[in-house]
Amino acid sequence: METLLNPRRHARAYPDARSLEVMHQTIDFFERKGKRRLKEDYHARVWYADFLEFVRRERIFATMCTPAGYGAADARWDTWRICEFAEILGFYGLQYWYTWQVSVLGLGPIWMSRNETVKQRAARALEAGGIFAFGLSERAHGADIYSTDMVVTPVDEGVYRASGRKYYIGNGNQAAIVSTFGKLAGSGDYVFFAADPTHPRYECVQNVCASQNFVSEFALDEYPLTEDDILHKGRAAWDAALNTVNIGKYNLGWASIGICTHALYEAVAHAHNRHLYGMRVTDFPHVQRMFVDAYARLVAMKLFALRACDYMRSASPDDRRYLLYNPMVKMKVTTEGERVINLLWDVIAAKGFEKSMYFEQAAVDIRALPKLEGTVHVNIALIVKFMPNFFFAPADCPEIPRRDDAADDVFLFDQGAARGLGSIRFHDYRRAFAAFDLPNVRVFAQQVDAFRDLLASAPPNEAQMKDTDFLLAGGELFALVVYAQLLLENARLYGIEPELVDQMFDFLVRDFAEFALQLHSKASSTPEQMRHCLRMIAKPIADERRTAAVWDRVLALDGAYEMNA
Ligand SMILES: Cc1cc2nc3c(=O)[nH]c(=O)nc-3n(C[C@H](O)[C@H](O)[C@H](O)COP(=O)(O)OP(=O)(O)OC[C@H]3O[C@@H](n4cnc5c(N)ncnc54)[C@H](O)[C@@H]3O)c2cc1C
């Protein structure tokens, strides 16, 4: 496997010519634009009309974001190609990824709806090069979407008026359709409806952020709606909000992967060709250590996110394991992205500030991904619900193959009720660990056994269960187990070399020990819990030959890619 994206040697396999064409056209658009213009537009906060014109001309979003049956023959919702598309956009700039991402979110409640009128409208808009918006957030309420103040008042049979404001809504300036979340006056039922930014009763108030993105505040004042504009009502509206975020949050991991990959090329090229004290910067042992760690972390991010794709594409009402893996892509892959950039920045130091570098933008943008579409906390609070079944009630679930086929991922728009998480069952994580006879995989498996022992014999007490700070510390340990498991599943599917797998487990052992220490240090941890935590603290097994082999992979990146000027 070509582990990291290299636009110069794009080699990913697709079952059809059009998917490959979309990737090549997108790479080509950015390489023709060139780094100088890319950075000038970034600094001048230019609205990316050139990108959107390219998207229109080449029907990029129409191909990628229209489910089969609603668009041209090349259109389907195919997560295998979507993930690389997201990676490419992140690779060239989070702003380009963002206008696409919020279009994905805006389309979620539409494709999930039974409202064929709006669906046909959306399909036509996509063909015409339209973008979309997802109007969920409000200024005062953050993650608390129960408290929405967007009120939809019935005024006659099938006729409504919507009033209220939304905040942080990407593309709210130019979207063809803004999928907007609110409450029905009287019943208090939730509702999703399609709003049109060109309507006189839709006021685009401001861009909340100073960036190329238009992250709008908009206001609806007695905005007229008919039944034709209503996408969902009641429970279905709530489910559409959550199920849309389930789809969208997956893409954040790929933005991180793309950002880190481009930043890594720049960092290696700079460090390896800079001479200090008569040697290369890459001759410093600590620099080598940081690069090896960054590289191993980045490959792990990619393997995990790719494996999560398989589960997402294979999901069904009977197999909802993706509901654990998707939030993990969102919270774990993106926080790992921050660590990768931190490591690289410590190496390239001042160079990472220069206006001509992609890195300068990467260092800022990488911070956004753990925070948006639900913070890390919200996502850990979500995944801890899966812990009891994950550890103590493994089930015989179907083995999922690599899903790089040309399927239309219809289930994503028919996910059903967004509840019942605690009853979802998982396959036994220990099988993945047992399949690898590597020193650090063994150390890690022992750490996990100690964590499982803690959960079995000294589980959080009632007060600790109510203490989100305590739960989050435990959640981080759980997240690492899931991360390591899927990473191993994919290391096997992709035939990753043993030395690279063991190097990834070098950092996983260290991270597990770090989180165990955090849990140990919580004010409310009991002596028995502390004893288990100390058993989780372990040191990775060093192997110079292994690390040297991974270091060679890093050095091979010097000169492998540089964006066109
Ligand atoms: C650039 C940008 C673009 C955006 N684009 C869109 C968009 O297009 N559409 C849209 O609808 N929204 C959008 N958003 C909103 C974004 O999704 C929210 O900002 C995000 O979900 C978090 O909300 P908040 O920042 O208001 O944090 P808050 O919800 O106010 O959270 C405050 C703190 O409480 C914690 N917290 C909250 N709830 C919980 C919980 N249940 N468990 C544990 N901890 C919790 C959080 O982790 C955080 O530390 C955008 C935001 C930005 C900045």
Side-chain angles (χ1 to χ4, degrees):
M1 166 196 178
E2 179 85 50
T3 325
L4 299 182
L5 171 70
N6 184 342
R8 296 254 175 277
R9 287 203 311 260
H10 181 271
R12 200 184 200 224
Y14 286 100
D16 60 330
R18 173 61 177 154
S19 301
L20 192 61
E21 184 183 56
V22 166
M23 306 308 152
H24 284 170
Q25 285 175 327
T26 309
I27 289 170
D28 193 54
F29 165 79
F30 287 110
E31 293 294 341
R32 280 173 195 271
K33 179 169 176 125
K35 202 171 184 177
R36 192 178 51 78
R37 273 273 321 284
L38 189 92
K39 293 307 306 281
E40 277 171 8
D41 285 359
Y42 177 76
H43 291 127
R45 299 172 192 156
V46 175
W47 171 251
Y48 22 63
D50 58 344
F51 175 65
L52 296 178
E53 171 51 25
F54 154 72
V55 163
R56 186 199 63 75
R57 197 177 59 243
E58 302 299 343
R59 304 179 43 258
I60 302 290
F61 292 179
T63 300
M64 300 295 288
C65 301
T66 317
Y70 284 91
D74 64 2
R76 61 178 186 274
W77 199 282
D78 171 343
T79 309
W80 171 251
R81 62 185 190 178
I82 281 177
C83 63
E84 194 189 40
F85 183 64
E87 181 182 18
I88 293 171
L89 295 181
F91 186 95
Y92 288 106
L94 191 67
Q95 62 277 39
Y96 303 98
W97 171 90
Y98 180 75
T99 192
W100 166 75
Q101 166 70 358
V102 291
S103 294
V104 167
L105 292 171
L107 286 164
I110 297 174
W111 299 136
M112 286 172 197
S113 168
R114 294 210 191 97
N115 183 333
E116 287 298 322
T117 310
V118 180
K119 285 162 105 163
Q120 297 295 344
R121 190 142 62 89
R124 284 194 302 274
L126 277 163
E127 269 304 327
I131 52 175
F132 294 79
F134 184 60
L136 185 64
S137 297
E138 293 175 20
R139 187 174 199 165
H141 302 305
D144 174 15
I145 54 175
Y146 300 93
S147 303
T148 176
D149 285 325
M150 174 65 73
V151 178
V152 176
T153 308
V155 288
D156 207 343
E157 186 62 31
V159 181
Y160 310 82
R161 296 277 181 274
S163 293
R165 295 171 96 85
K166 291 283 172 182
Y167 203 76
Y168 296 131
I169 310 306
N171 290 349
N173 55 333
Q174 282 203 9
I177 299 174
V178 183
S179 297
T180 308
F181 185 75
K183 257 185 198 164
L184 279 169
S187 68
D189 281 347
Y190 297 112
V191 58
F192 243 120
F193 59 92
D196 172 6
T198 61
H199 193 281
R201 299 223 156 251
Y202 178 112
E203 183 196 355
C204 183
V205 178
Q206 61 163 327
N207 186 352
V208 176
C209 298
S211 70
Q212 280 186 266
N213 300 318
F214 202 103
V215 186
S216 68
E217 175 180 12
F218 72 82
L220 301 185
D221 177 20
E222 297 284 310
Y223 182 100
L225 297 168
T226 69
E227 217 59 61
D228 273 353
D229 303 305
I230 303 292
L231 297 168
H232 303 273
K233 277 189 207 162
R235 181 82 217 177
W238 179 261
D239 289 341
L242 268 54
N243 289 340
T244 293
V245 175
N246 286 343
I247 299 173
K249 62 172 56 166
Y250 177 74
N251 299 332
L252 281 91
W254 285 99
S256 264
I257 293 165
I259 289 174
C260 290
T261 306
H262 197 161
L264 179 63
Y265 285 119
E266 280 194 344
V268 175
H270 174 69
H272 196 54
N273 296 293
R274 185 170 177 83
H275 293 80
L276 300 179
Y277 320 107
M279 63 180 197
R280 291 177 186 269
V281 167
T282 43
D283 290 333
F284 281 118
H286 67 287
V287 166
Q288 294 184 5
R289 197 249 317 144
M290 289 193 277
F291 268 132
V292 166
D293 214 34
Y295 180 82
R297 285 180 191 276
L298 178 53
V299 174
M301 288 159 65
K302 191 157 182 177
L303 286 175
F304 179 82
L306 279 172
R307 189 63 183 140
C309 171
D310 299 335
Y311 287 98
M312 201 159 147
R313 302 196 78 196
S314 305
S316 69
D318 301 322
D319 186 351
R320 300 203 295 159
R321 285 176 282 177
Y322 75 108
L323 290 175
L324 167 59
Y325 307 141
N326 276 28
M328 291 266 316
V329 173
K330 152 70 201 134
M331 52 76 50
K332 189 72 196 165
V333 173
T334 62
T335 43
E336 282 294 286
E338 284 189 298
R339 288 181 89 142
V340 169
I341 295 294
N342 287 348
L343 286 160
L344 300 178
W345 206 356
D346 275 346
V347 171
I348 68 165
K351 191 74 182 170
F353 291 84
E354 286 187 20
K355 66 180 181 200
S356 59
M357 295 282 282
Y358 172 83
F359 199 98
E360 166 238 18
Q361 147 178 7
V364 173
D365 292 343
I366 201 75
R367 304 270 172 250
L369 295 157
K371 294 171 186 62
L372 304 184
E373 256 178 83
T375 59
V376 171
H377 308 147
V378 168
N379 281 287
I380 298 190
L382 178 70
I383 65 168
V384 292
K385 297 190 179 114
F386 298 113
M387 262 167 80
N389 276 354
F390 182 89
F391 281 109
F392 301 109
D396 269 338
C397 306
E399 198 155 319
I400 302 300
R402 174 163 145 179
R403 292 295 313 272
D404 52 6
D405 48 301
D408 183 46
D409 299 336
V410 275
F411 175 74
L412 295 179
F413 300 106
D414 190 18
Q415 294 173 61
R419 55 176 179 253
L421 301 190
S423 61
I424 297 173
R425 306 278 295 277
F426 299 89
H427 53 302
D428 195 336
Y429 65 95
R430 287 169 293 202
R431 281 212 303 271
F433 295 124
F436 279 81
D437 186 19
L438 289 171
N440 284 313
V441 176
R442 280 195 296 273
V443 176
F444 188 82
Q446 285 160 8
Q447 291 173 297
V448 177
D449 284 347
F451 183 48
R452 189 174 183 280
D453 288 349
L454 180 151
L455 294 172
S457 63
N461 57 38
E462 213 176 308
Q464 288 171 334
M465 289 295 284
K466 289 192 189 131
D467 175 1
T468 42
D469 190 43
F470 187 87
L471 284 187
L472 291 178
E476 290 281 12
L477 288 163
F478 173 45
L480 270 179
V481 182
V482 182
Y483 198 60
Q485 178 200 358
L486 263 59
L487 197 156
L488 285 179
E489 289 181 8
N490 236 2
R492 191 168 55 81
L493 289 175
Y494 280 86
I496 302 296
E497 293 77 359
E499 62 261 18
L500 182 52
V501 176
D502 205 45
Q503 192 63 45
M504 290 191 267
F505 274 75
D506 181 294
F507 81 73
L508 287 169
V509 168
R510 282 182 278 126
D511 290 358
F512 206 85
E514 201 177 308
F515 287 125
L517 184 61
Q518 282 183 22
L519 190 63
H520 176 275
S521 312
K522 291 293 164 200
S524 71
S525 58
T526 64
E528 201 190 343
Q529 288 168 338
M530 290 160 69
R531 196 171 51 75
H532 286 294
C533 286
L534 292 179
R535 282 179 57 215
M536 292 180 227
I537 294 180
K539 175 179 169 173
I541 293 167
D543 178 344
E544 272 181 35
R545 196 196 45 81
R546 174 197 79 211
T547 309
V550 179
W551 174 237
D552 284 345
R553 286 168 158 259
V554 176
L555 275 189
L557 299 177
D558 177 39
Y561 170 77
E562 189 182 358
M563 189 173 173
N564 281 347

